[in-house]
Amino acid sequence: MRKTIKADLVIIDPQNDFMDILANPGDPVGLALPGGPKFRSTLPVSGALGDMARVAALIKRVGRRLNDIHVTLDSHRVVDVAHPGFWRDELGKPPTPFTIISHADIKSGMWSPRNQAYRQRMLDYTASLESAGKFMLMIWPEHCLIGSWGHNVVDELRTALADWERDNFATIDFVTKGTNTFTEHYGALMAEVPDPADPSTQLNGGFLSMLQEADIIGIAGEASSHCVATTIRQIVDNIGDEHLRKIHILADCMSPVPQAPGGPDFPAIAQQFLEDMEARGLVLTTADAFLS
């Protein structure tokens, strides 16, 4: 008797605020709804909308062959360590998006938390980031605010997910991350600097266990330079070497954050990540090839 393959799909942060949605020529990040207000993606990733269309088509094609679908949701508050409102310069002005704040910047007083009671915590936090070789603290536009349009799953994929639930009498496993004000949370398994007082920032053992039980895991999402790369690296570091070859990266279903002027080369970081994972034994594939 042929063994049924237990296939899981992980979709990382397929949310409106990361979509490169076009409203009209010359407006690269707006969505005009007939008779309603205009919503805008606050942190669009070039190519994301096409990426999620391919994921939606994959779900429709594969259907019942998927055992489980996990969808991570970047979930932030307005007051967040990586949002402009958390910080002030020496003149009392907030940083512009894509500003990098280093440990030395805080120590010198160039940047300070708006609430000075958090200064030592932020010194410790940035020191931890830098000593671990992780991304330095970057200020992003406010994005994926809980309850906002930008927090929602993009419509085409959301429809495909709902149809899959109806057809299979199953539920999507939604995994939230990012609600802690004091730490960035790129990866779905844990925050950049886990908070001992907040279990939501620590290793998500339940999610990891579900992935260990799968026979094959497809991973897609946004952005390949940040949340996808960090999530997959966390999985690789914690799932056990015997599970690595069952991880399939859907390389045509993810895109990197564009390079910010004067900032890191995020597309190059994403490409290096893919090369590193292939060297570790993970499979690079496409939406059409996965489970074909």
PDB file of all heavy atoms in Angstrom, residues 207-235:
ATOM      1  N   PHE A 207       5.233  24.795  17.059  1.00  0.00           N
ATOM      2  CA  PHE A 207       5.358  24.952  15.612  1.00  0.00           C
ATOM      3  C   PHE A 207       6.474  24.063  15.088  1.00  0.00           C
ATOM      4  O   PHE A 207       6.328  23.367  14.076  1.00  0.00           O
ATOM      5  CB  PHE A 207       5.607  26.423  15.294  1.00  0.00           C
ATOM      6  CG  PHE A 207       5.701  26.762  13.835  1.00  0.00           C
ATOM      7  CD1 PHE A 207       5.002  26.051  12.880  1.00  0.00           C
ATOM      8  CD2 PHE A 207       6.486  27.828  13.403  1.00  0.00           C
ATOM      9  CE1 PHE A 207       5.077  26.363  11.524  1.00  0.00           C
ATOM     10  CE2 PHE A 207       6.568  28.160  12.062  1.00  0.00           C
ATOM     11  CZ  PHE A 207       5.866  27.421  11.125  1.00  0.00           C
ATOM     12  N   LEU A 208       7.597  24.056  15.784  1.00  0.00           N
ATOM     13  CA  LEU A 208       8.734  23.236  15.367  1.00  0.00           C
ATOM     14  C   LEU A 208       8.365  21.754  15.350  1.00  0.00           C
ATOM     15  O   LEU A 208       8.721  21.025  14.416  1.00  0.00           O
ATOM     16  CB  LEU A 208       9.918  23.477  16.304  1.00  0.00           C
ATOM     17  CG  LEU A 208      11.228  22.785  15.953  1.00  0.00           C
ATOM     18  CD1 LEU A 208      11.767  23.275  14.620  1.00  0.00           C
ATOM     19  CD2 LEU A 208      12.255  23.009  17.058  1.00  0.00           C
ATOM     20  N   SER A 209       7.611  21.302  16.354  1.00  0.00           N
ATOM     21  CA  SER A 209       7.213  19.892  16.425  1.00  0.00           C
ATOM     22  C   SER A 209       6.338  19.501  15.240  1.00  0.00           C
ATOM     23  O   SER A 209       6.477  18.397  14.686  1.00  0.00           O
ATOM     24  CB  SER A 209       6.471  19.615  17.734  1.00  0.00           C
ATOM     25  OG  SER A 209       7.328  19.775  18.842  1.00  0.00           O
ATOM     26  N   MET A 210       5.429  20.387  14.845  1.00  0.00           N
ATOM     27  CA  MET A 210       4.574  20.093  13.680  1.00  0.00           C
ATOM     28  C   MET A 210       5.414  19.939  12.421  1.00  0.00           C
ATOM     29  O   MET A 210       5.142  19.060  11.591  1.00  0.00           O
ATOM     30  CB  MET A 210       3.533  21.199  13.507  1.00  0.00           C
ATOM     31  CG  MET A 210       2.406  21.140  14.518  1.00  0.00           C
ATOM     32  SD  MET A 210       1.048  22.277  14.133  1.00  0.00           S
ATOM     33  CE  MET A 210       1.735  23.816  14.723  1.00  0.00           C
ATOM     34  N   LEU A 211       6.435  20.771  12.264  1.00  0.00           N
ATOM     35  CA  LEU A 211       7.299  20.667  11.093  1.00  0.00           C
ATOM     36  C   LEU A 211       8.119  19.376  11.124  1.00  0.00           C
ATOM     37  O   LEU A 211       8.351  18.755  10.082  1.00  0.00           O
ATOM     38  CB  LEU A 211       8.220  21.880  11.009  1.00  0.00           C
ATOM     39  CG  LEU A 211       7.520  23.243  10.829  1.00  0.00           C
ATOM     40  CD1 LEU A 211       8.556  24.362  10.769  1.00  0.00           C
ATOM     41  CD2 LEU A 211       6.645  23.262   9.585  1.00  0.00           C
ATOM     42  N   GLN A 212       8.540  18.955  12.309  1.00  0.00           N
ATOM     43  CA  GLN A 212       9.303  17.715  12.427  1.00  0.00           C
ATOM     44  C   GLN A 212       8.477  16.500  12.021  1.00  0.00           C
ATOM     45  O   GLN A 212       9.010  15.508  11.525  1.00  0.00           O
ATOM     46  CB  GLN A 212       9.817  17.553  13.858  1.00  0.00           C
ATOM     47  CG  GLN A 212      10.933  18.520  14.222  1.00  0.00           C
ATOM     48  CD  GLN A 212      11.298  18.482  15.694  1.00  0.00           C
ATOM     49  OE1 GLN A 212      10.426  18.329  16.550  1.00  0.00           O
ATOM     50  NE2 GLN A 212      12.580  18.625  16.002  1.00  0.00           N
ATOM     51  N   GLU A 213       7.160  16.589  12.189  1.00  0.00           N
ATOM     52  CA  GLU A 213       6.277  15.466  11.870  1.00  0.00           C
ATOM     53  C   GLU A 213       5.980  15.358  10.376  1.00  0.00           C
ATOM     54  O   GLU A 213       5.480  14.329   9.912  1.00  0.00           O
ATOM     55  CB  GLU A 213       4.969  15.600  12.647  1.00  0.00           C
ATOM     56  CG  GLU A 213       5.138  15.423  14.155  1.00  0.00           C
ATOM     57  CD  GLU A 213       3.873  15.775  14.927  1.00  0.00           C
ATOM     58  OE1 GLU A 213       2.859  16.112  14.269  1.00  0.00           O
ATOM     59  OE2 GLU A 213       3.907  15.717  16.167  1.00  0.00           O
ATOM     60  N   ALA A 214       6.254  16.407   9.624  1.00  0.00           N
ATOM     61  CA  ALA A 214       5.959  16.399   8.179  1.00  0.00           C
ATOM     62  C   ALA A 214       7.000  15.596   7.410  1.00  0.00           C
ATOM     63  O   ALA A 214       8.154  15.465   7.839  1.00  0.00           O
ATOM     64  CB  ALA A 214       5.902  17.824   7.655  1.00  0.00           C
ATOM     65  N   ASP A 215       6.584  15.064   6.260  1.00  0.00           N
ATOM     66  CA  ASP A 215       7.518  14.357   5.377  1.00  0.00           C
ATOM     67  C   ASP A 215       8.173  15.306   4.383  1.00  0.00           C
ATOM     68  O   ASP A 215       9.275  15.045   3.902  1.00  0.00           O
ATOM     69  CB  ASP A 215       6.776  13.270   4.599  1.00  0.00           C
ATOM     70  CG  ASP A 215       6.209  12.196   5.511  1.00  0.00           C
ATOM     71  OD1 ASP A 215       6.947  11.723   6.398  1.00  0.00           O
ATOM     72  OD2 ASP A 215       5.024  11.841   5.346  1.00  0.00           O
ATOM     73  N   ILE A 216       7.472  16.364   4.039  1.00  0.00           N
ATOM     74  CA  ILE A 216       7.990  17.367   3.111  1.00  0.00           C
ATOM     75  C   ILE A 216       7.401  18.709   3.502  1.00  0.00           C
ATOM     76  O   ILE A 216       6.234  18.802   3.881  1.00  0.00           O
ATOM     77  CB  ILE A 216       7.667  17.004   1.647  1.00  0.00           C
ATOM     78  CG1 ILE A 216       8.308  17.997   0.676  1.00  0.00           C
ATOM     79  CG2 ILE A 216       6.162  16.901   1.430  1.00  0.00           C
ATOM     80  CD1 ILE A 216       8.209  17.569  -0.786  1.00  0.00           C
ATOM     81  N   ILE A 217       8.224  19.749   3.420  1.00  0.00           N
ATOM     82  CA  ILE A 217       7.797  21.096   3.824  1.00  0.00           C
ATOM     83  C   ILE A 217       8.141  22.068   2.705  1.00  0.00           C
ATOM     84  O   ILE A 217       9.309  22.202   2.335  1.00  0.00           O
ATOM     85  CB  ILE A 217       8.505  21.553   5.119  1.00  0.00           C
ATOM     86  CG1 ILE A 217       8.294  20.544   6.252  1.00  0.00           C
ATOM     87  CG2 ILE A 217       8.027  22.944   5.533  1.00  0.00           C
ATOM     88  CD1 ILE A 217       9.248  20.758   7.425  1.00  0.00           C
ATOM     89  N   GLY A 218       7.140  22.747   2.177  1.00  0.00           N
ATOM     90  CA  GLY A 218       7.376  23.821   1.223  1.00  0.00           C
ATOM     91  C   GLY A 218       7.300  25.155   1.942  1.00  0.00           C
ATOM     92  O   GLY A 218       6.421  25.350   2.784  1.00  0.00           O
ATOM     93  N   ILE A 219       8.233  26.053   1.635  1.00  0.00           N
ATOM     94  CA  ILE A 219       8.264  27.350   2.325  1.00  0.00           C
ATOM     95  C   ILE A 219       8.286  28.477   1.302  1.00  0.00           C
ATOM     96  O   ILE A 219       9.096  28.487   0.373  1.00  0.00           O
ATOM     97  CB  ILE A 219       9.483  27.466   3.265  1.00  0.00           C
ATOM     98  CG1 ILE A 219       9.510  26.305   4.267  1.00  0.00           C
ATOM     99  CG2 ILE A 219       9.436  28.799   4.010  1.00  0.00           C
ATOM    100  CD1 ILE A 219      10.646  26.360   5.263  1.00  0.00           C
ATOM    101  N   ALA A 220       7.371  29.433   1.480  1.00  0.00           N
ATOM    102  CA  ALA A 220       7.263  30.613   0.628  1.00  0.00           C
ATOM    103  C   ALA A 220       7.026  31.819   1.524  1.00  0.00           C
ATOM    104  O   ALA A 220       6.828  31.686   2.730  1.00  0.00           O
ATOM    105  CB  ALA A 220       6.095  30.443  -0.351  1.00  0.00           C
ATOM    106  N   GLY A 221       7.037  33.040   0.927  1.00  0.00           N
ATOM    107  CA  GLY A 221       6.666  34.212   1.722  1.00  0.00           C
ATOM    108  C   GLY A 221       7.543  35.417   1.486  1.00  0.00           C
ATOM    109  O   GLY A 221       8.363  35.453   0.585  1.00  0.00           O
ATOM    110  N   GLU A 222       7.343  36.408   2.337  1.00  0.00           N
ATOM    111  CA  GLU A 222       8.055  37.679   2.233  1.00  0.00           C
ATOM    112  C   GLU A 222       8.695  38.052   3.567  1.00  0.00           C
ATOM    113  O   GLU A 222       8.141  37.773   4.609  1.00  0.00           O
ATOM    114  CB  GLU A 222       7.096  38.785   1.796  1.00  0.00           C
ATOM    115  CG  GLU A 222       6.308  38.498   0.526  1.00  0.00           C
ATOM    116  CD  GLU A 222       7.162  38.178  -0.700  1.00  0.00           C
ATOM    117  OE1 GLU A 222       8.349  38.551  -0.727  1.00  0.00           O
ATOM    118  OE2 GLU A 222       6.635  37.554  -1.621  1.00  0.00           O
ATOM    119  N   ALA A 223       9.817  38.695   3.550  1.00  0.00           N
ATOM    120  CA  ALA A 223      10.664  38.897   2.383  1.00  0.00           C
ATOM    121  C   ALA A 223      11.835  37.920   2.481  1.00  0.00           C
ATOM    122  O   ALA A 223      12.259  37.555   3.569  1.00  0.00           O
ATOM    123  CB  ALA A 223      11.168  40.330   2.329  1.00  0.00           C
ATOM    124  N   SER A 224      12.364  37.528   1.333  1.00  0.00           N
ATOM    125  CA  SER A 224      13.418  36.515   1.333  1.00  0.00           C
ATOM    126  C   SER A 224      14.679  36.975   2.049  1.00  0.00           C
ATOM    127  O   SER A 224      15.453  36.152   2.548  1.00  0.00           O
ATOM    128  CB  SER A 224      13.754  36.106  -0.099  1.00  0.00           C
ATOM    129  OG  SER A 224      14.132  37.223  -0.890  1.00  0.00           O
ATOM    130  N   SER A 225      14.880  38.280   2.130  1.00  0.00           N
ATOM    131  CA  SER A 225      16.069  38.817   2.798  1.00  0.00           C
ATOM    132  C   SER A 225      15.930  38.862   4.308  1.00  0.00           C
ATOM    133  O   SER A 225      16.938  38.911   5.028  1.00  0.00           O
ATOM    134  CB  SER A 225      16.351  40.233   2.288  1.00  0.00           C
ATOM    135  OG  SER A 225      15.183  41.040   2.415  1.00  0.00           O
ATOM    136  N   HIS A 226      14.696  38.846   4.804  1.00  0.00           N
ATOM    137  CA  HIS A 226      14.474  39.076   6.234  1.00  0.00           C
ATOM    138  C   HIS A 226      13.678  37.951   6.892  1.00  0.00           C
ATOM    139  O   HIS A 226      14.261  37.013   7.427  1.00  0.00           O
ATOM    140  CB  HIS A 226      13.802  40.440   6.435  1.00  0.00           C
ATOM    141  CG  HIS A 226      14.716  41.595   6.226  1.00  0.00           C
ATOM    142  ND1 HIS A 226      15.110  42.011   4.970  1.00  0.00           N
ATOM    143  CD2 HIS A 226      15.335  42.427   7.101  1.00  0.00           C
ATOM    144  CE1 HIS A 226      15.937  43.042   5.082  1.00  0.00           C
ATOM    145  NE2 HIS A 226      16.095  43.314   6.366  1.00  0.00           N
ATOM    146  N   CYS A 227      12.352  38.040   6.863  1.00  0.00           N
ATOM    147  CA  CYS A 227      11.543  37.095   7.641  1.00  0.00           C
ATOM    148  C   CYS A 227      11.618  35.678   7.099  1.00  0.00           C
ATOM    149  O   CYS A 227      11.610  34.718   7.871  1.00  0.00           O
ATOM    150  CB  CYS A 227      10.105  37.581   7.726  1.00  0.00           C
ATOM    151  SG  CYS A 227       9.966  39.145   8.629  1.00  0.00           S
ATOM    152  N   VAL A 228      11.691  35.516   5.774  1.00  0.00           N
ATOM    153  CA  VAL A 228      11.849  34.174   5.213  1.00  0.00           C
ATOM    154  C   VAL A 228      13.211  33.610   5.583  1.00  0.00           C
ATOM    155  O   VAL A 228      13.326  32.485   6.087  1.00  0.00           O
ATOM    156  CB  VAL A 228      11.667  34.189   3.682  1.00  0.00           C
ATOM    157  CG1 VAL A 228      12.014  32.824   3.092  1.00  0.00           C
ATOM    158  CG2 VAL A 228      10.240  34.570   3.313  1.00  0.00           C
ATOM    159  N   ALA A 229      14.256  34.385   5.333  1.00  0.00           N
ATOM    160  CA  ALA A 229      15.607  33.899   5.618  1.00  0.00           C
ATOM    161  C   ALA A 229      15.781  33.570   7.094  1.00  0.00           C
ATOM    162  O   ALA A 229      16.338  32.523   7.450  1.00  0.00           O
ATOM    163  CB  ALA A 229      16.634  34.945   5.186  1.00  0.00           C
ATOM    164  N   THR A 230      15.302  34.455   7.967  1.00  0.00           N
ATOM    165  CA  THR A 230      15.470  34.220   9.400  1.00  0.00           C
ATOM    166  C   THR A 230      14.665  33.017   9.863  1.00  0.00           C
ATOM    167  O   THR A 230      15.153  32.195  10.645  1.00  0.00           O
ATOM    168  CB  THR A 230      15.072  35.470  10.196  1.00  0.00           C
ATOM    169  OG1 THR A 230      15.825  36.593   9.736  1.00  0.00           O
ATOM    170  CG2 THR A 230      15.344  35.276  11.685  1.00  0.00           C
ATOM    171  N   THR A 231      13.429  32.889   9.379  1.00  0.00           N
ATOM    172  CA  THR A 231      12.605  31.737   9.764  1.00  0.00           C
ATOM    173  C   THR A 231      13.261  30.431   9.340  1.00  0.00           C
ATOM    174  O   THR A 231      13.361  29.480  10.134  1.00  0.00           O
ATOM    175  CB  THR A 231      11.209  31.839   9.130  1.00  0.00           C
ATOM    176  OG1 THR A 231      10.535  32.985   9.651  1.00  0.00           O
ATOM    177  CG2 THR A 231      10.372  30.601   9.434  1.00  0.00           C
ATOM    178  N   ILE A 232      13.719  30.367   8.104  1.00  0.00           N
ATOM    179  CA  ILE A 232      14.314  29.116   7.625  1.00  0.00           C
ATOM    180  C   ILE A 232      15.610  28.821   8.364  1.00  0.00           C
ATOM    181  O   ILE A 232      15.874  27.659   8.735  1.00  0.00           O
ATOM    182  CB  ILE A 232      14.530  29.166   6.103  1.00  0.00           C
ATOM    183  CG1 ILE A 232      13.167  29.198   5.386  1.00  0.00           C
ATOM    184  CG2 ILE A 232      15.352  27.955   5.632  1.00  0.00           C
ATOM    185  CD1 ILE A 232      13.251  29.315   3.880  1.00  0.00           C
ATOM    186  N   ARG A 233      16.414  29.830   8.615  1.00  0.00           N
ATOM    187  CA  ARG A 233      17.648  29.588   9.386  1.00  0.00           C
ATOM    188  C   ARG A 233      17.312  29.076  10.789  1.00  0.00           C
ATOM    189  O   ARG A 233      18.003  28.183  11.317  1.00  0.00           O
ATOM    190  CB  ARG A 233      18.484  30.865   9.466  1.00  0.00           C
ATOM    191  CG  ARG A 233      19.157  31.249   8.138  1.00  0.00           C
ATOM    192  CD  ARG A 233      20.124  32.396   8.331  1.00  0.00           C
ATOM    193  NE  ARG A 233      20.633  32.922   7.077  1.00  0.00           N
ATOM    194  CZ  ARG A 233      21.636  32.400   6.363  1.00  0.00           C
ATOM    195  NH1 ARG A 233      22.218  31.288   6.793  1.00  0.00           N
ATOM    196  NH2 ARG A 233      22.034  32.969   5.240  1.00  0.00           N
ATOM    197  N   GLN A 234      16.266  29.624  11.406  1.00  0.00           N
ATOM    198  CA  GLN A 234      15.859  29.145  12.733  1.00  0.00           C
ATOM    199  C   GLN A 234      15.389  27.696  12.672  1.00  0.00           C
ATOM    200  O   GLN A 234      15.697  26.891  13.568  1.00  0.00           O
ATOM    201  CB  GLN A 234      14.764  30.042  13.300  1.00  0.00           C
ATOM    202  CG  GLN A 234      15.250  31.426  13.705  1.00  0.00           C
ATOM    203  CD  GLN A 234      14.122  32.335  14.184  1.00  0.00           C
ATOM    204  OE1 GLN A 234      12.937  32.018  14.041  1.00  0.00           O
ATOM    205  NE2 GLN A 234      14.479  33.465  14.773  1.00  0.00           N
ATOM    206  N   ILE A 235      14.639  27.355  11.626  1.00  0.00           N
ATOM    207  CA  ILE A 235      14.204  25.970  11.466  1.00  0.00           C
ATOM    208  C   ILE A 235      15.413  25.052  11.305  1.00  0.00           C
ATOM    209  O   ILE A 235      15.525  24.015  11.976  1.00  0.00           O
ATOM    210  CB  ILE A 235      13.256  25.843  10.261  1.00  0.00           C
ATOM    211  CG1 ILE A 235      11.930  26.573  10.532  1.00  0.00           C
ATOM    212  CG2 ILE A 235      12.979  24.368   9.949  1.00  0.00           C
ATOM    213  CD1 ILE A 235      11.022  26.678   9.319  1.00  0.00           C
TER     214      ILE A 235
END
